[in-house]
Amino acid sequence: MMDNKPFEVPVVVELGHVGKYRHIRSAQEAAECLMTVWPLNRGQRHREALDTCLKVLEGYRSTADARRALIEAAKESEVLVPDDKLPDDRLH
């Protein structure tokens, strides 16, 4: 079974509905999210993040690289939730 390459700190994004937060905890989860539920406003950062996550899962890049790329893609698509915007009652 392949290691899912966990992140040291999850990346939190808001997908689908306002206030619907998703904590992405690994390169595998990031790749799945980027491929399946990511918003349609995808750009270059999205492609780079997906490529980086897949390379991490294959053992060619670090999980830190995947996390950084995911954050950049989330900023590009305007779905990144900054840590200071996370209310305690909305953590999933």
Side-chain angles (χ1 to χ4, degrees):
M1 184 173 159
M2 190 182 342
D3 180 7
N4 67 1
K5 308 294 184 185
F7 294 154
E8 285 189 27
V9 177
V11 175
V12 182
V13 293
E14 187 172 31
L15 299 173
H17 305 289
V18 173
K20 175 77 172 164
Y21 297 153
R22 179 167 179 173
H23 291 244
I24 301 174
R25 295 177 167 85
S26 68
Q28 180 177 341
E29 194 175 333
E32 290 170 359
C33 186
L34 287 161
M35 286 188 283
T36 61
V37 295
W38 206 255
L40 294 178
N41 56 332
R42 299 174 178 182
Q44 181 63 32
R45 300 278 188 244
H46 173 269
R47 288 185 293 279
E48 290 169 1
L50 181 54
D51 182 60
T52 301
C53 289
L54 294 175
K55 286 181 177 170
V56 168
L57 293 173
E58 293 169 355
Y60 298 111
R61 300 283 299 268
S62 73
T63 54
D65 290 341
R67 187 175 184 280
R68 277 192 298 273
L70 178 62
I71 289 169
E72 290 305 313
K75 287 178 183 177
E76 175 186 66
S77 295
E78 300 178 352
V79 296
L80 182 67
V81 178
D83 293 340
D84 63 342
K85 299 290 185 201
L86 282 174
D88 292 335
D89 63 335
R90 296 239 178 121
L91 297 178
H92 291 67

